Amino acid sequence: MTAVATRRSVMTLFSDPRSLHSHRVRMVLAEKNVTCDIIDVDPMNTPDDVMDLNPYGTVPTLVDRDLALYDSRIICEYLDERFPHPPLLPVDPVSRASARLYMFRVENDWYGLVDQILAGGKPATKARKELREGLTAAAPVLAHRPFFMSDEFSLVDASIAPLLWRLPMLGVEIAGHEAKQVNTYAGGLFTRNGFVASLTEQEREMRR
Ligand SMILES: N[C@@H](CCC(=O)N[C@@H](CS)C(=O)NCC(=O)O)C(=O)O
C-alpha cells in the first residue's frame, strides 16, 4: 500500500508491514481518509532516514513537514488532532482520559505479550497463555457495546483490531462463549472500510 485515500498531505509514514504498532497507525490514517506516503521498512534493517529522524530507530515513524514523530500512540493522537474528522477520541475530559488509559492498558498488558510470542522460545508459551487469559477475561467488555466501552469507533478500537487480527498467526485461541464475544467485536472491526484499507499484503496473508 503506498497511499491511503484522498486528502492532500505531504506526510510520510515509515511502517513495518507486519507489525501491529504500524498497523494501528495505518488504520487511523485509513479511518480518517488521509493521504500519506507509506514506506515499508524492515525493522531489522532500519533505513538511515529513520535513524536520522528517530533516536530509537523504531517504526512507525511519521514525518509531517518539519515534525518527526515516533511511538504509535503519540502518532495516533497527533493524527486525531491534525485531522479532527471523524474524531476518534471522546470530547469530554473524563471519557478522553479513560480512552487514553484503555490504550495504555492494551499496550502494557497485551502488546508486550505479542512481542514475547513473536520472539519465540520458552517465554512465548507463557505469553500465549497470558494473552489468551487476558482476552478471555476482557471478552464480556469487548462484546458489551459495538465498540470498546463506546458506541463510536475510537483510537482504542484502532489499537485492539490489529492485535485481534493476529491471534491465529500468534497461536492464541479463545474457547467457549468468550470466543463468540471476541469474534462479534472483532467482526465489527474487520469489516470496516478503514480496517480493510489499512491491511498490507503481509497482513492479509496472516488470515488466508
Ligand atoms: N512503542 C513503540 C514500539 C515500536 C516498535 O517496537 N517497533 C519495532 C517494530 S514492530 C521496531 O521498530 N523495532 C526496531 C528497533 O527497535 O530498532 C510504538 O508503539 O511505536
Side-chain angles (χ1 to χ4, degrees):
M1 185 167 64
T2 51
V4 187
T6 51
R7 218 175 274 175
R8 276 172 72 92
S9 164
V10 291
M11 290 194 307
T12 302
L13 179 72
F14 293 91
S15 157
D16 177 349
R18 291 178 180 79
S19 129
L20 84 171
H21 304 96
S22 293
H23 192 179
R24 89 198 282 207
V25 173
R26 282 184 264 111
M27 186 171 185
V28 171
L29 287 169
E31 286 284 337
K32 288 181 176 279
N33 221 21
V34 171
T35 300
C36 179
D37 288 327
I38 296 182
I39 298 178
D40 285 351
V41 167
D42 171 3
M44 303 308 283
N45 194 4
T46 316
D48 290 346
D49 278 359
V50 175
M51 299 308 289
D52 292 345
L53 293 163
N54 169 353
Y56 300 95
T58 53
V59 283
T61 293
L62 179 86
V63 184
D64 187 9
R65 295 192 176 87
D66 294 336
L67 178 70
L69 284 180
Y70 37 87
D71 188 86
S72 54
R73 181 152 43 111
I74 288 177
I75 296 172
C76 289
E77 292 191 19
Y78 172 71
L79 291 173
D80 195 41
E81 289 174 357
R82 167 99 158 76
F83 303 99
H85 301 291
L88 298 183
L89 279 176
V91 177
D92 78 281
V94 171
S95 311
R96 214 172 158 83
S98 297
R100 289 192 161 117
L101 203 53
Y102 298 140
M103 282 195 278
F104 174 81
R105 294 213 50 193
V106 167
E107 288 166 32
N108 258 19
D109 297 356
W110 294 342
Y111 277 23
L113 294 173
V114 172
D115 291 339
Q116 285 176 38
I117 295 169
L118 292 174
K122 222 174 165 194
T125 309
K126 187 165 170 270
R128 211 172 266 121
K129 178 172 177 285
E130 279 180 37
L131 186 55
R132 187 181 66 239
E133 289 172 355
L135 289 168
T136 302
V141 180
L142 296 180
H144 183 56
R145 290 168 75 178
F147 300 103
F148 191 87
M149 302 289 272
S150 170
D151 293 330
E152 307 290 338
F153 177 85
S154 81
L155 291 185
V156 185
D157 304 293
S159 306
I160 300 175
L163 183 140
L164 296 181
W165 183 256
R166 284 160 174 74
L167 292 184
M169 186 267 279
L170 295 169
V172 174
E173 204 172 324
I174 298 157
H177 182 56
E178 286 86 355
K180 222 174 149 188
Q181 291 177 315
V182 172
N183 287 340
T184 302
Y185 170 72
L189 299 178
F190 297 165
T191 49
R192 292 178 73 79
N193 291 341
F195 185 83
V196 174
S198 74
L199 290 169
T200 61
E201 187 50 41
Q202 292 87 336
E203 286 162 345
R204 277 192 290 273
E205 283 296 326
M206 289 174 188
R207 288 229 173 202
R208 217 159 252 163

PDB file of all heavy atoms in Angstrom, residues 16 19-22 24 43-44 46 51 56-60 70-73 75 107 111 115, ligand 1:
ATOM      1  N   ASP A  16       6.298  -0.778   9.369  1.00  0.00           N
ATOM      2  CA  ASP A  16       6.600  -2.207   9.228  1.00  0.00           C
ATOM      3  C   ASP A  16       5.316  -2.881   8.733  1.00  0.00           C
ATOM      4  O   ASP A  16       4.289  -2.844   9.423  1.00  0.00           O
ATOM      5  CB  ASP A  16       7.023  -2.766  10.599  1.00  0.00           C
ATOM      6  CG  ASP A  16       7.298  -4.267  10.555  1.00  0.00           C
ATOM      7  OD1 ASP A  16       6.981  -4.915   9.547  1.00  0.00           O
ATOM      8  OD2 ASP A  16       7.830  -4.783  11.560  1.00  0.00           O
ATOM      9  N   SER A  19       3.794  -5.332  11.437  1.00  0.00           N
ATOM     10  CA  SER A  19       3.723  -5.074  12.883  1.00  0.00           C
ATOM     11  C   SER A  19       2.428  -4.401  13.333  1.00  0.00           C
ATOM     12  O   SER A  19       1.871  -3.562  12.627  1.00  0.00           O
ATOM     13  CB  SER A  19       4.928  -4.214  13.287  1.00  0.00           C
ATOM     14  OG  SER A  19       4.528  -3.098  14.021  1.00  0.00           O
ATOM     15  N   LEU A  20       1.968  -4.784  14.511  1.00  0.00           N
ATOM     16  CA  LEU A  20       0.715  -4.187  14.983  1.00  0.00           C
ATOM     17  C   LEU A  20       0.875  -2.724  15.365  1.00  0.00           C
ATOM     18  O   LEU A  20      -0.076  -1.956  15.269  1.00  0.00           O
ATOM     19  CB  LEU A  20       0.100  -5.022  16.122  1.00  0.00           C
ATOM     20  CG  LEU A  20       0.486  -4.893  17.569  1.00  0.00           C
ATOM     21  CD1 LEU A  20      -0.453  -5.689  18.434  1.00  0.00           C
ATOM     22  CD2 LEU A  20       1.876  -5.401  17.767  1.00  0.00           C
ATOM     23  N   HIS A  21       2.095  -2.302  15.758  1.00  0.00           N
ATOM     24  CA  HIS A  21       2.292  -0.883  16.080  1.00  0.00           C
ATOM     25  C   HIS A  21       2.067  -0.026  14.840  1.00  0.00           C
ATOM     26  O   HIS A  21       1.406   1.011  14.892  1.00  0.00           O
ATOM     27  CB  HIS A  21       3.704  -0.636  16.613  1.00  0.00           C
ATOM     28  CG  HIS A  21       4.064  -1.458  17.806  1.00  0.00           C
ATOM     29  ND1 HIS A  21       4.756  -2.629  17.724  1.00  0.00           N
ATOM     30  CD2 HIS A  21       3.792  -1.278  19.112  1.00  0.00           C
ATOM     31  CE1 HIS A  21       4.920  -3.136  18.928  1.00  0.00           C
ATOM     32  NE2 HIS A  21       4.334  -2.341  19.803  1.00  0.00           N
ATOM     33  N   SER A  22       2.639  -0.484  13.709  1.00  0.00           N
ATOM     34  CA  SER A  22       2.456   0.264  12.461  1.00  0.00           C
ATOM     35  C   SER A  22       1.015   0.125  11.961  1.00  0.00           C
ATOM     36  O   SER A  22       0.441   1.076  11.420  1.00  0.00           O
ATOM     37  CB  SER A  22       3.412  -0.249  11.380  1.00  0.00           C
ATOM     38  OG  SER A  22       4.751   0.037  11.732  1.00  0.00           O
ATOM     39  N   ARG A  24      -1.760  -0.111  13.656  1.00  0.00           N
ATOM     40  CA  ARG A  24      -2.743   0.776  14.321  1.00  0.00           C
ATOM     41  C   ARG A  24      -2.687   2.173  13.716  1.00  0.00           C
ATOM     42  O   ARG A  24      -3.715   2.844  13.557  1.00  0.00           O
ATOM     43  CB  ARG A  24      -2.549   0.767  15.843  1.00  0.00           C
ATOM     44  CG  ARG A  24      -1.588   1.798  16.375  1.00  0.00           C
ATOM     45  CD  ARG A  24      -1.059   1.537  17.756  1.00  0.00           C
ATOM     46  NE  ARG A  24      -1.959   1.846  18.847  1.00  0.00           N
ATOM     47  CZ  ARG A  24      -1.538   2.184  20.067  1.00  0.00           C
ATOM     48  NH1 ARG A  24      -0.245   2.261  20.352  1.00  0.00           N
ATOM     49  NH2 ARG A  24      -2.373   2.449  21.020  1.00  0.00           N
ATOM     50  N   PRO A  43      12.231  -3.688  10.137  1.00  0.00           N
ATOM     51  CA  PRO A  43      12.794  -3.140  11.379  1.00  0.00           C
ATOM     52  C   PRO A  43      14.156  -3.744  11.747  1.00  0.00           C
ATOM     53  O   PRO A  43      14.872  -3.179  12.566  1.00  0.00           O
ATOM     54  CB  PRO A  43      11.736  -3.462  12.443  1.00  0.00           C
ATOM     55  CG  PRO A  43      10.848  -4.478  11.850  1.00  0.00           C
ATOM     56  CD  PRO A  43      10.967  -4.395  10.359  1.00  0.00           C
ATOM     57  N   MET A  44      14.499  -4.880  11.136  1.00  0.00           N
ATOM     58  CA  MET A  44      15.820  -5.466  11.399  1.00  0.00           C
ATOM     59  C   MET A  44      16.899  -4.765  10.560  1.00  0.00           C
ATOM     60  O   MET A  44      18.090  -5.022  10.734  1.00  0.00           O
ATOM     61  CB  MET A  44      15.824  -6.977  11.068  1.00  0.00           C
ATOM     62  CG  MET A  44      14.786  -7.785  11.825  1.00  0.00           C
ATOM     63  SD  MET A  44      14.869  -7.510  13.602  1.00  0.00           S
ATOM     64  CE  MET A  44      16.290  -8.509  13.988  1.00  0.00           C
ATOM     65  N   THR A  46      16.892  -1.071   9.631  1.00  0.00           N
ATOM     66  CA  THR A  46      16.268   0.253   9.612  1.00  0.00           C
ATOM     67  C   THR A  46      17.010   1.206   8.671  1.00  0.00           C
ATOM     68  O   THR A  46      18.232   1.345   8.780  1.00  0.00           O
ATOM     69  CB  THR A  46      16.275   0.850  11.031  1.00  0.00           C
ATOM     70  OG1 THR A  46      15.874  -0.167  11.928  1.00  0.00           O
ATOM     71  CG2 THR A  46      15.349   2.032  11.160  1.00  0.00           C
ATOM     72  N   MET A  51      16.744   6.394  11.209  1.00  0.00           N
ATOM     73  CA  MET A  51      17.751   6.594  12.253  1.00  0.00           C
ATOM     74  C   MET A  51      18.009   8.096  12.463  1.00  0.00           C
ATOM     75  O   MET A  51      18.230   8.540  13.578  1.00  0.00           O
ATOM     76  CB  MET A  51      19.069   5.890  11.880  1.00  0.00           C
ATOM     77  CG  MET A  51      18.949   4.393  11.708  1.00  0.00           C
ATOM     78  SD  MET A  51      18.170   3.536  13.083  1.00  0.00           S
ATOM     79  CE  MET A  51      19.400   3.652  14.339  1.00  0.00           C
ATOM     80  N   TYR A  56      15.299   6.408  18.576  1.00  0.00           N
ATOM     81  CA  TYR A  56      15.094   4.995  18.920  1.00  0.00           C
ATOM     82  C   TYR A  56      15.158   4.100  17.682  1.00  0.00           C
ATOM     83  O   TYR A  56      15.181   2.876  17.809  1.00  0.00           O
ATOM     84  CB  TYR A  56      13.749   4.802  19.630  1.00  0.00           C
ATOM     85  CG  TYR A  56      13.670   5.614  20.912  1.00  0.00           C
ATOM     86  CD1 TYR A  56      13.085   6.868  20.925  1.00  0.00           C
ATOM     87  CD2 TYR A  56      14.222   5.129  22.094  1.00  0.00           C
ATOM     88  CE1 TYR A  56      13.044   7.629  22.081  1.00  0.00           C
ATOM     89  CE2 TYR A  56      14.185   5.882  23.261  1.00  0.00           C
ATOM     90  CZ  TYR A  56      13.592   7.137  23.244  1.00  0.00           C
ATOM     91  OH  TYR A  56      13.562   7.884  24.386  1.00  0.00           O
ATOM     92  N   GLY A  57      15.109   4.725  16.502  1.00  0.00           N
ATOM     93  CA  GLY A  57      15.182   3.962  15.256  1.00  0.00           C
ATOM     94  C   GLY A  57      14.028   2.998  15.065  1.00  0.00           C
ATOM     95  O   GLY A  57      14.148   2.003  14.354  1.00  0.00           O
ATOM     96  N   THR A  58      12.899   3.294  15.683  1.00  0.00           N
ATOM     97  CA  THR A  58      11.758   2.376  15.600  1.00  0.00           C
ATOM     98  C   THR A  58      10.774   2.814  14.515  1.00  0.00           C
ATOM     99  O   THR A  58      10.732   3.977  14.117  1.00  0.00           O
ATOM    100  CB  THR A  58      10.972   2.338  16.938  1.00  0.00           C
ATOM    101  OG1 THR A  58      10.640   3.678  17.297  1.00  0.00           O
ATOM    102  CG2 THR A  58      11.781   1.661  18.030  1.00  0.00           C
ATOM    103  N   VAL A  59       9.980   1.852  14.069  1.00  0.00           N
ATOM    104  CA  VAL A  59       8.817   2.165  13.236  1.00  0.00           C
ATOM    105  C   VAL A  59       7.573   1.696  13.997  1.00  0.00           C
ATOM    106  O   VAL A  59       7.649   0.709  14.743  1.00  0.00           O
ATOM    107  CB  VAL A  59       8.905   1.475  11.856  1.00  0.00           C
ATOM    108  CG1 VAL A  59       9.867   2.225  10.969  1.00  0.00           C
ATOM    109  CG2 VAL A  59       9.320   0.012  11.959  1.00  0.00           C
ATOM    110  N   PRO A  60       6.470   2.413  13.845  1.00  0.00           N
ATOM    111  CA  PRO A  60       6.234   3.504  12.917  1.00  0.00           C
ATOM    112  C   PRO A  60       6.932   4.805  13.324  1.00  0.00           C
ATOM    113  O   PRO A  60       7.044   5.112  14.499  1.00  0.00           O
ATOM    114  CB  PRO A  60       4.717   3.686  12.979  1.00  0.00           C
ATOM    115  CG  PRO A  60       4.344   3.257  14.364  1.00  0.00           C
ATOM    116  CD  PRO A  60       5.279   2.127  14.662  1.00  0.00           C
ATOM    117  N   TYR A  70       7.448   9.608  16.651  1.00  0.00           N
ATOM    118  CA  TYR A  70       7.543   8.156  16.807  1.00  0.00           C
ATOM    119  C   TYR A  70       6.730   7.768  18.025  1.00  0.00           C
ATOM    120  O   TYR A  70       6.265   8.613  18.784  1.00  0.00           O
ATOM    121  CB  TYR A  70       9.001   7.702  16.941  1.00  0.00           C
ATOM    122  CG  TYR A  70       9.881   8.643  17.716  1.00  0.00           C
ATOM    123  CD1 TYR A  70       9.979   8.549  19.095  1.00  0.00           C
ATOM    124  CD2 TYR A  70      10.579   9.652  17.053  1.00  0.00           C
ATOM    125  CE1 TYR A  70      10.780   9.433  19.797  1.00  0.00           C
ATOM    126  CE2 TYR A  70      11.370  10.530  17.752  1.00  0.00           C
ATOM    127  CZ  TYR A  70      11.467  10.419  19.136  1.00  0.00           C
ATOM    128  OH  TYR A  70      12.238  11.301  19.826  1.00  0.00           O
ATOM    129  N   ASP A  71       6.570   6.491  18.191  1.00  0.00           N
ATOM    130  CA  ASP A  71       5.673   5.846  19.147  1.00  0.00           C
ATOM    131  C   ASP A  71       4.246   5.891  18.583  1.00  0.00           C
ATOM    132  O   ASP A  71       3.674   6.961  18.381  1.00  0.00           O
ATOM    133  CB  ASP A  71       5.706   6.451  20.548  1.00  0.00           C
ATOM    134  CG  ASP A  71       4.881   5.579  21.497  1.00  0.00           C
ATOM    135  OD1 ASP A  71       5.424   4.606  22.033  1.00  0.00           O
ATOM    136  OD2 ASP A  71       3.670   5.839  21.633  1.00  0.00           O
ATOM    137  N   SER A  72       3.698   4.689  18.362  1.00  0.00           N
ATOM    138  CA  SER A  72       2.430   4.600  17.643  1.00  0.00           C
ATOM    139  C   SER A  72       1.301   5.366  18.337  1.00  0.00           C
ATOM    140  O   SER A  72       0.468   5.966  17.678  1.00  0.00           O
ATOM    141  CB  SER A  72       2.044   3.130  17.435  1.00  0.00           C
ATOM    142  OG  SER A  72       2.027   2.424  18.649  1.00  0.00           O
ATOM    143  N   ARG A  73       1.296   5.360  19.673  1.00  0.00           N
ATOM    144  CA  ARG A  73       0.180   6.053  20.345  1.00  0.00           C
ATOM    145  C   ARG A  73       0.295   7.565  20.151  1.00  0.00           C
ATOM    146  O   ARG A  73      -0.714   8.243  19.903  1.00  0.00           O
ATOM    147  CB  ARG A  73       0.135   5.704  21.837  1.00  0.00           C
ATOM    148  CG  ARG A  73      -1.030   6.382  22.561  1.00  0.00           C
ATOM    149  CD  ARG A  73      -1.478   5.581  23.754  1.00  0.00           C
ATOM    150  NE  ARG A  73      -0.351   5.081  24.516  1.00  0.00           N
ATOM    151  CZ  ARG A  73      -0.021   5.510  25.734  1.00  0.00           C
ATOM    152  NH1 ARG A  73      -0.716   6.449  26.310  1.00  0.00           N
ATOM    153  NH2 ARG A  73       1.010   4.994  26.373  1.00  0.00           N
ATOM    154  N   ILE A  75       1.704   9.059  17.669  1.00  0.00           N
ATOM    155  CA  ILE A  75       1.355   9.342  16.269  1.00  0.00           C
ATOM    156  C   ILE A  75      -0.172   9.334  16.095  1.00  0.00           C
ATOM    157  O   ILE A  75      -0.750  10.240  15.482  1.00  0.00           O
ATOM    158  CB  ILE A  75       2.002   8.311  15.319  1.00  0.00           C
ATOM    159  CG1 ILE A  75       3.526   8.422  15.385  1.00  0.00           C
ATOM    160  CG2 ILE A  75       1.510   8.502  13.883  1.00  0.00           C
ATOM    161  CD1 ILE A  75       4.258   7.310  14.625  1.00  0.00           C
ATOM    162  N   GLU A 107      -1.589  -1.621  25.489  1.00  0.00           N
ATOM    163  CA  GLU A 107      -0.154  -1.724  25.194  1.00  0.00           C
ATOM    164  C   GLU A 107       0.581  -2.473  26.302  1.00  0.00           C
ATOM    165  O   GLU A 107       1.364  -3.381  26.044  1.00  0.00           O
ATOM    166  CB  GLU A 107       0.448  -0.325  25.060  1.00  0.00           C
ATOM    167  CG  GLU A 107       0.043   0.376  23.796  1.00  0.00           C
ATOM    168  CD  GLU A 107       0.369   1.861  23.870  1.00  0.00           C
ATOM    169  OE1 GLU A 107       1.355   2.247  24.523  1.00  0.00           O
ATOM    170  OE2 GLU A 107      -0.392   2.637  23.288  1.00  0.00           O
ATOM    171  N   TYR A 111       0.191  -5.780  24.124  1.00  0.00           N
ATOM    172  CA  TYR A 111       1.210  -5.630  23.072  1.00  0.00           C
ATOM    173  C   TYR A 111       2.527  -6.287  23.506  1.00  0.00           C
ATOM    174  O   TYR A 111       3.213  -6.912  22.703  1.00  0.00           O
ATOM    175  CB  TYR A 111       1.465  -4.154  22.760  1.00  0.00           C
ATOM    176  CG  TYR A 111       0.487  -3.502  21.805  1.00  0.00           C
ATOM    177  CD1 TYR A 111      -0.800  -3.995  21.611  1.00  0.00           C
ATOM    178  CD2 TYR A 111       0.856  -2.376  21.087  1.00  0.00           C
ATOM    179  CE1 TYR A 111      -1.680  -3.374  20.741  1.00  0.00           C
ATOM    180  CE2 TYR A 111      -0.007  -1.745  20.207  1.00  0.00           C
ATOM    181  CZ  TYR A 111      -1.275  -2.244  20.038  1.00  0.00           C
ATOM    182  OH  TYR A 111      -2.140  -1.622  19.172  1.00  0.00           O
ATOM    183  N   ASP A 115       4.803  -9.197  21.556  1.00  0.00           N
ATOM    184  CA  ASP A 115       6.252  -9.148  21.278  1.00  0.00           C
ATOM    185  C   ASP A 115       6.944 -10.395  21.809  1.00  0.00           C
ATOM    186  O   ASP A 115       7.822 -10.957  21.151  1.00  0.00           O
ATOM    187  CB  ASP A 115       6.876  -7.887  21.898  1.00  0.00           C
ATOM    188  CG  ASP A 115       6.424  -6.614  21.185  1.00  0.00           C
ATOM    189  OD1 ASP A 115       5.981  -6.718  20.023  1.00  0.00           O
ATOM    190  OD2 ASP A 115       6.515  -5.526  21.790  1.00  0.00           O
TER     191      ASP A 115
HETATM  192  N1  LIG B   1       6.385   1.740  21.408  1.00  0.00           N
HETATM  193  C1  LIG B   1       6.717   1.730  20.011  1.00  0.00           C
HETATM  194  C2  LIG B   1       7.200   0.337  19.639  1.00  0.00           C
HETATM  195  C3  LIG B   1       7.523   0.220  18.181  1.00  0.00           C
HETATM  196  C4  LIG B   1       8.373  -0.994  17.883  1.00  0.00           C
HETATM  197  O1  LIG B   1       8.691  -1.802  18.757  1.00  0.00           O
HETATM  198  N2  LIG B   1       8.762  -1.119  16.628  1.00  0.00           N
HETATM  199  C5  LIG B   1       9.584  -2.206  16.188  1.00  0.00           C
HETATM  200  C6  LIG B   1       8.974  -2.871  15.005  1.00  0.00           C
HETATM  201  S1  LIG B   1       7.452  -3.594  15.443  1.00  0.00           S
HETATM  202  C7  LIG B   1      10.915  -1.643  15.722  1.00  0.00           C
HETATM  203  O2  LIG B   1      10.956  -0.638  15.081  1.00  0.00           O
HETATM  204  N3  LIG B   1      11.982  -2.320  16.079  1.00  0.00           N
HETATM  205  C8  LIG B   1      13.287  -1.963  15.617  1.00  0.00           C
HETATM  206  C9  LIG B   1      14.103  -1.310  16.672  1.00  0.00           C
HETATM  207  O3  LIG B   1      13.633  -1.170  17.817  1.00  0.00           O
HETATM  208  O4  LIG B   1      15.227  -0.933  16.342  1.00  0.00           O
HETATM  209  C10 LIG B   1       5.494   2.117  19.197  1.00  0.00           C
HETATM  210  O5  LIG B   1       4.370   1.925  19.664  1.00  0.00           O
HETATM  211  O6  LIG B   1       5.650   2.680  18.124  1.00  0.00           O
END
